[in-house]
Amino acid sequence: MATNQEGTLAQQMFGSQAPVYATSQVHVSDASLEAIVRLTAPGPYAWTVDLGTGAGFTAFAMTQCSQRVVASDLTRPMLQETRRIGQERQLSNLMLSHNAAEHLPFASDSLDLVTCRVAGHHFADFEQALNEIHRVLKVGGSLVMADTIAPEDDAVAEWLNDIELRRDFSHVNDRKISVIEGMLSARDLAIVARENVRVYLQFNNWVARTATPDEEVITLRRDFLAGSSEVKEAFEIEPTADGDINFSWPCLIFRAVKR
Ligand SMILES: C[S@@+](CC[C@H](N)C(=O)[O-])C[C@H]1O[C@@H](n2cnc3c(N)ncnc32)[C@H](O)[C@@H]1O
């Protein structure tokens, strides 16, 4: 169990907001989940583990191509939502595990597939999580991950991470694709397939999901509308007629195989 400061922050944020994430449309299904389903097809896999499972939507999708799926998360209230929805869906091959991605309670060389969707940027120690993923995968096993990506332009990447942290105090880091590629190749995890999609969001709904304080919502709204032309183009920022703001985050989905 991660007991460092970031782990505690993630548990605070996601513990209190678990029921909201359980009904969030963008988490129930979006282009990133559809891409994960494409990149894991056709299976079948004997053992799959979904890390940072949240309310379980990626784990649920993986029950269709895996004999057994373990939905794992650091935050107990999230796993309670996963259990409730999994029972509603009558998923008999779904199990739960309460653990940090940085400390996996699975034997070395034991898993066929590890999935992780829009959770890696919350992990306190992403590199340690990759070390653990590499350890538990069988040779030839796959990591299929989807996550928000920071553009390669430093100023735009900095804007994104600053905005993310002010909206969600548990945010850690949206990384550039070049950084992720370096971390994978350092561990002999070879990317064999990838897709880039956009995750479409509405500002009011996005800050409500994390219960961002009102005074921060005001400054965040101001900074979206005052973003540079590079920022507005990178994140497709568009004010709407009813006072909301549409925008999108770039998302990378990749399949990497343990050599
Ligand atoms: C945005 S939610 C994930 C959504 C989910 N993967 C899905 O497909 O709907 C992020 C999740 O990451 C979990 N998390 C944050 N830090 C973690 C860590 N170090 N280890 C495991 N889970 C973590 C949080 O508890 C939260 O449930």
Side-chain angles (χ1 to χ4, degrees), residues 1-2 49-52 70 72-73 97-108 110-111 114-115 123 128-137 143:
M1 175 62 52
V49 171
D50 183 45
L51 300 178
V70 181
S72 81
D73 203 284
S97 174
H98 181 220
N99 61 264
E102 294 88 341
H103 304 280
L104 299 182
F106 309 112
S108 300
S110 64
L111 302 181
V114 172
T115 54
F123 295 166
Q128 172 59 17
L130 285 180
N131 290 342
E132 278 290 85
I133 291 166
H134 183 269
R135 180 183 67 77
V136 298
L137 277 174
L143 164 65

Short mmCIF file of all heavy atoms in Angstrom, two decimals, residues 1-2 49-52 70 72-73 97-108 110-111 114-115 123 128-137 143:
data_model
loop_
_atom_site.label_atom_id
_atom_site.label_comp_id
_atom_site.label_asym_id
_atom_site.label_seq_id
_atom_site.Cartn_x
_atom_site.Cartn_y
_atom_site.Cartn_z
N MET A 1 0.84 -1.20 0.00
CA MET A 1 0.00 0.00 0.00
C MET A 1 0.87 1.25 0.00
O MET A 1 1.76 1.37 0.82
CB MET A 1 -0.89 -0.03 1.24
CG MET A 1 -1.74 1.21 1.45
SD MET A 1 -2.90 1.48 0.12
CE MET A 1 -3.70 -0.09 0.04
N ALA A 2 0.63 2.17 -0.94
CA ALA A 2 1.40 3.41 -0.96
C ALA A 2 0.93 4.30 0.18
O ALA A 2 -0.26 4.50 0.38
CB ALA A 2 1.20 4.14 -2.29
N VAL A 49 -5.14 -7.95 -15.25
CA VAL A 49 -5.28 -7.03 -14.11
C VAL A 49 -5.47 -5.62 -14.65
O VAL A 49 -4.72 -5.18 -15.54
CB VAL A 49 -4.05 -7.09 -13.18
CG1 VAL A 49 -4.12 -5.99 -12.13
CG2 VAL A 49 -3.96 -8.46 -12.49
N ASP A 50 -6.49 -4.92 -14.14
CA ASP A 50 -6.71 -3.52 -14.50
C ASP A 50 -6.26 -2.65 -13.33
O ASP A 50 -6.77 -2.79 -12.21
CB ASP A 50 -8.20 -3.29 -14.81
CG ASP A 50 -8.46 -1.87 -15.28
OD1 ASP A 50 -7.69 -1.37 -16.13
OD2 ASP A 50 -9.43 -1.25 -14.80
N LEU A 51 -5.30 -1.75 -13.58
CA LEU A 51 -4.74 -0.90 -12.52
C LEU A 51 -5.45 0.44 -12.48
O LEU A 51 -5.79 1.00 -13.52
CB LEU A 51 -3.25 -0.66 -12.78
CG LEU A 51 -2.37 -1.91 -12.83
CD1 LEU A 51 -0.92 -1.50 -13.16
CD2 LEU A 51 -2.42 -2.67 -11.53
N GLY A 52 -5.63 1.00 -11.27
CA GLY A 52 -6.34 2.28 -11.13
C GLY A 52 -7.71 2.14 -11.76
O GLY A 52 -8.15 2.97 -12.54
N VAL A 70 -8.81 -9.05 -12.61
CA VAL A 70 -8.68 -8.45 -11.28
C VAL A 70 -8.73 -6.93 -11.46
O VAL A 70 -7.88 -6.36 -12.14
CB VAL A 70 -7.36 -8.85 -10.59
CG1 VAL A 70 -7.28 -8.23 -9.20
CG2 VAL A 70 -7.23 -10.37 -10.52
N SER A 72 -8.12 -3.51 -9.80
CA SER A 72 -7.36 -3.10 -8.62
C SER A 72 -7.28 -1.58 -8.53
O SER A 72 -7.25 -0.88 -9.55
CB SER A 72 -5.95 -3.71 -8.67
OG SER A 72 -5.11 -2.97 -9.50
N ASP A 73 -7.27 -1.10 -7.30
CA ASP A 73 -7.21 0.35 -7.07
C ASP A 73 -6.71 0.61 -5.65
O ASP A 73 -6.83 -0.22 -4.76
CB ASP A 73 -8.61 0.97 -7.25
CG ASP A 73 -8.55 2.46 -7.57
OD1 ASP A 73 -8.29 3.26 -6.65
OD2 ASP A 73 -8.77 2.82 -8.75
N SER A 97 -8.94 -6.16 -6.06
CA SER A 97 -7.72 -6.13 -5.25
C SER A 97 -7.44 -4.70 -4.83
O SER A 97 -7.43 -3.79 -5.67
CB SER A 97 -6.53 -6.68 -6.06
OG SER A 97 -5.34 -6.53 -5.33
N HIS A 98 -7.24 -4.50 -3.52
CA HIS A 98 -6.95 -3.17 -2.98
C HIS A 98 -5.44 -3.02 -2.90
O HIS A 98 -4.80 -3.54 -1.98
CB HIS A 98 -7.59 -3.03 -1.60
CG HIS A 98 -7.37 -1.69 -0.99
ND1 HIS A 98 -7.10 -1.50 0.34
CD2 HIS A 98 -7.38 -0.46 -1.54
CE1 HIS A 98 -6.95 -0.21 0.58
NE2 HIS A 98 -7.11 0.45 -0.54
N ASN A 99 -4.86 -2.33 -3.88
CA ASN A 99 -3.40 -2.14 -3.86
C ASN A 99 -3.02 -0.94 -4.70
O ASN A 99 -3.76 -0.50 -5.58
CB ASN A 99 -2.69 -3.39 -4.40
CG ASN A 99 -3.06 -3.72 -5.83
OD1 ASN A 99 -3.95 -4.54 -6.05
ND2 ASN A 99 -2.42 -3.08 -6.79
N ALA A 100 -1.83 -0.42 -4.39
CA ALA A 100 -1.24 0.65 -5.21
C ALA A 100 -0.61 0.03 -6.44
O ALA A 100 -0.09 -1.09 -6.39
CB ALA A 100 -0.20 1.41 -4.40
N ALA A 101 -0.63 0.77 -7.54
CA ALA A 101 0.00 0.29 -8.77
C ALA A 101 1.51 0.11 -8.57
O ALA A 101 2.14 -0.67 -9.28
CB ALA A 101 -0.26 1.29 -9.90
N GLU A 102 2.06 0.81 -7.57
CA GLU A 102 3.50 0.73 -7.32
C GLU A 102 3.89 -0.52 -6.53
O GLU A 102 5.08 -0.81 -6.37
CB GLU A 102 3.97 1.97 -6.53
CG GLU A 102 3.84 3.29 -7.27
CD GLU A 102 2.47 3.96 -7.09
OE1 GLU A 102 1.50 3.26 -6.71
OE2 GLU A 102 2.38 5.16 -7.35
N HIS A 103 2.91 -1.24 -6.00
CA HIS A 103 3.19 -2.44 -5.17
C HIS A 103 2.15 -3.49 -5.56
O HIS A 103 1.08 -3.54 -4.94
CB HIS A 103 3.11 -2.12 -3.68
CG HIS A 103 4.02 -1.00 -3.28
ND1 HIS A 103 5.36 -1.18 -3.08
CD2 HIS A 103 3.79 0.32 -3.10
CE1 HIS A 103 5.93 -0.02 -2.77
NE2 HIS A 103 4.99 0.90 -2.77
N LEU A 104 2.45 -4.33 -6.52
CA LEU A 104 1.44 -5.26 -7.03
C LEU A 104 1.54 -6.61 -6.30
O LEU A 104 2.63 -7.20 -6.25
CB LEU A 104 1.63 -5.46 -8.54
CG LEU A 104 1.47 -4.19 -9.38
CD1 LEU A 104 1.63 -4.49 -10.87
CD2 LEU A 104 0.11 -3.53 -9.13
N PRO A 105 0.41 -7.09 -5.77
CA PRO A 105 0.42 -8.34 -5.00
C PRO A 105 0.26 -9.57 -5.90
O PRO A 105 -0.56 -10.44 -5.64
CB PRO A 105 -0.80 -8.17 -4.07
CG PRO A 105 -1.74 -7.36 -4.89
CD PRO A 105 -0.91 -6.44 -5.74
N PHE A 106 1.02 -9.58 -7.00
CA PHE A 106 0.92 -10.68 -7.96
C PHE A 106 2.30 -11.26 -8.19
O PHE A 106 3.31 -10.55 -8.11
CB PHE A 106 0.33 -10.19 -9.30
CG PHE A 106 -0.95 -9.40 -9.13
CD1 PHE A 106 -0.99 -8.05 -9.40
CD2 PHE A 106 -2.10 -10.03 -8.66
CE1 PHE A 106 -2.15 -7.31 -9.21
CE2 PHE A 106 -3.27 -9.30 -8.46
CZ PHE A 106 -3.29 -7.95 -8.74
N ALA A 107 2.34 -12.57 -8.49
CA ALA A 107 3.63 -13.25 -8.69
C ALA A 107 4.31 -12.72 -9.95
O ALA A 107 3.65 -12.29 -10.90
CB ALA A 107 3.38 -14.75 -8.81
N SER A 108 5.63 -12.78 -9.95
CA SER A 108 6.39 -12.39 -11.14
C SER A 108 6.03 -13.32 -12.31
O SER A 108 5.74 -14.50 -12.11
CB SER A 108 7.89 -12.49 -10.86
OG SER A 108 8.22 -11.64 -9.78
N SER A 110 3.42 -13.70 -14.18
CA SER A 110 2.16 -14.44 -13.99
C SER A 110 0.98 -13.91 -14.82
O SER A 110 -0.02 -14.61 -14.95
CB SER A 110 1.76 -14.42 -12.51
OG SER A 110 1.48 -13.10 -12.09
N LEU A 111 1.08 -12.70 -15.36
CA LEU A 111 -0.10 -12.09 -16.00
C LEU A 111 0.05 -12.03 -17.52
O LEU A 111 1.14 -11.79 -18.04
CB LEU A 111 -0.33 -10.67 -15.47
CG LEU A 111 -0.53 -10.53 -13.96
CD1 LEU A 111 -0.76 -9.08 -13.60
CD2 LEU A 111 -1.67 -11.40 -13.46
N VAL A 114 -2.08 -6.49 -18.68
CA VAL A 114 -2.32 -5.43 -17.70
C VAL A 114 -2.92 -4.26 -18.46
O VAL A 114 -2.40 -3.85 -19.50
CB VAL A 114 -1.02 -4.98 -17.00
CG1 VAL A 114 -1.26 -3.76 -16.12
CG2 VAL A 114 -0.45 -6.13 -16.16
N THR A 115 -4.05 -3.75 -17.96
CA THR A 115 -4.66 -2.56 -18.56
C THR A 115 -4.63 -1.42 -17.55
O THR A 115 -4.58 -1.64 -16.33
CB THR A 115 -6.11 -2.82 -19.02
OG1 THR A 115 -6.86 -3.33 -17.91
CG2 THR A 115 -6.16 -3.79 -20.18
N PHE A 123 -0.64 8.30 -10.61
CA PHE A 123 0.20 7.45 -9.77
C PHE A 123 1.33 8.26 -9.16
O PHE A 123 2.02 9.01 -9.85
CB PHE A 123 0.79 6.28 -10.59
CG PHE A 123 -0.23 5.29 -11.11
CD1 PHE A 123 0.11 4.36 -12.07
CD2 PHE A 123 -1.54 5.28 -10.62
CE1 PHE A 123 -0.82 3.44 -12.55
CE2 PHE A 123 -2.48 4.37 -11.10
CZ PHE A 123 -2.13 3.46 -12.06
N GLN A 128 7.92 3.43 -10.86
CA GLN A 128 7.86 2.24 -10.02
C GLN A 128 6.68 1.35 -10.46
O GLN A 128 6.79 0.12 -10.47
CB GLN A 128 7.71 2.63 -8.54
CG GLN A 128 7.44 1.50 -7.57
CD GLN A 128 8.51 0.42 -7.56
OE1 GLN A 128 9.63 0.61 -8.04
NE2 GLN A 128 8.15 -0.76 -7.04
N ALA A 129 5.56 1.98 -10.87
CA ALA A 129 4.43 1.20 -11.38
C ALA A 129 4.86 0.44 -12.65
O ALA A 129 4.52 -0.74 -12.81
CB ALA A 129 3.24 2.12 -11.67
N LEU A 130 5.62 1.09 -13.53
CA LEU A 130 6.10 0.39 -14.74
C LEU A 130 7.03 -0.75 -14.38
O LEU A 130 6.98 -1.83 -14.99
CB LEU A 130 6.81 1.37 -15.68
CG LEU A 130 5.93 2.34 -16.47
CD1 LEU A 130 6.81 3.23 -17.36
CD2 LEU A 130 4.90 1.61 -17.32
N ASN A 131 7.88 -0.55 -13.36
CA ASN A 131 8.76 -1.65 -12.90
C ASN A 131 7.92 -2.85 -12.46
O ASN A 131 8.23 -4.00 -12.78
CB ASN A 131 9.62 -1.21 -11.71
CG ASN A 131 10.68 -0.21 -12.10
OD1 ASN A 131 11.01 -0.06 -13.28
ND2 ASN A 131 11.21 0.51 -11.11
N GLU A 132 6.87 -2.56 -11.71
CA GLU A 132 6.01 -3.63 -11.21
C GLU A 132 5.22 -4.31 -12.34
O GLU A 132 5.08 -5.54 -12.35
CB GLU A 132 5.03 -3.05 -10.17
CG GLU A 132 5.64 -2.91 -8.79
CD GLU A 132 5.87 -4.27 -8.15
OE1 GLU A 132 6.92 -4.87 -8.42
OE2 GLU A 132 5.00 -4.72 -7.39
N ILE A 133 4.73 -3.50 -13.29
CA ILE A 133 4.01 -4.08 -14.44
C ILE A 133 4.94 -5.03 -15.19
O ILE A 133 4.58 -6.15 -15.56
CB ILE A 133 3.48 -2.95 -15.35
CG1 ILE A 133 2.37 -2.18 -14.64
CG2 ILE A 133 3.01 -3.51 -16.69
CD1 ILE A 133 2.01 -0.85 -15.29
N HIS A 134 6.18 -4.56 -15.41
CA HIS A 134 7.15 -5.41 -16.13
C HIS A 134 7.40 -6.70 -15.35
O HIS A 134 7.47 -7.79 -15.92
CB HIS A 134 8.45 -4.64 -16.33
CG HIS A 134 9.47 -5.40 -17.11
ND1 HIS A 134 10.40 -6.23 -16.52
CD2 HIS A 134 9.67 -5.50 -18.45
CE1 HIS A 134 11.14 -6.79 -17.46
NE2 HIS A 134 10.72 -6.37 -18.63
N ARG A 135 7.50 -6.60 -14.03
CA ARG A 135 7.77 -7.80 -13.20
C ARG A 135 6.64 -8.82 -13.30
O ARG A 135 6.90 -10.01 -13.46
CB ARG A 135 7.97 -7.38 -11.73
CG ARG A 135 8.25 -8.55 -10.78
CD ARG A 135 8.37 -8.11 -9.33
NE ARG A 135 7.11 -7.61 -8.78
CZ ARG A 135 6.10 -8.37 -8.38
NH1 ARG A 135 6.17 -9.68 -8.48
NH2 ARG A 135 5.00 -7.82 -7.87
N VAL A 136 5.38 -8.36 -13.24
CA VAL A 136 4.27 -9.32 -13.13
C VAL A 136 3.83 -9.87 -14.49
O VAL A 136 3.18 -10.93 -14.53
CB VAL A 136 3.05 -8.70 -12.39
CG1 VAL A 136 3.43 -8.33 -10.96
CG2 VAL A 136 2.47 -7.52 -13.14
N LEU A 137 4.18 -9.18 -15.59
CA LEU A 137 3.78 -9.70 -16.91
C LEU A 137 4.62 -10.93 -17.26
O LEU A 137 5.82 -10.99 -16.97
CB LEU A 137 4.00 -8.64 -17.99
CG LEU A 137 2.91 -7.59 -18.18
CD1 LEU A 137 3.38 -6.53 -19.20
CD2 LEU A 137 1.58 -8.19 -18.61
N LEU A 143 1.01 -4.80 -21.90
CA LEU A 143 0.46 -3.66 -21.16
C LEU A 143 -0.32 -2.84 -22.18
O LEU A 143 0.23 -2.42 -23.20
CB LEU A 143 1.59 -2.81 -20.58
CG LEU A 143 1.19 -1.39 -20.12
CD1 LEU A 143 0.22 -1.46 -18.93
CD2 LEU A 143 2.44 -0.59 -19.74
#
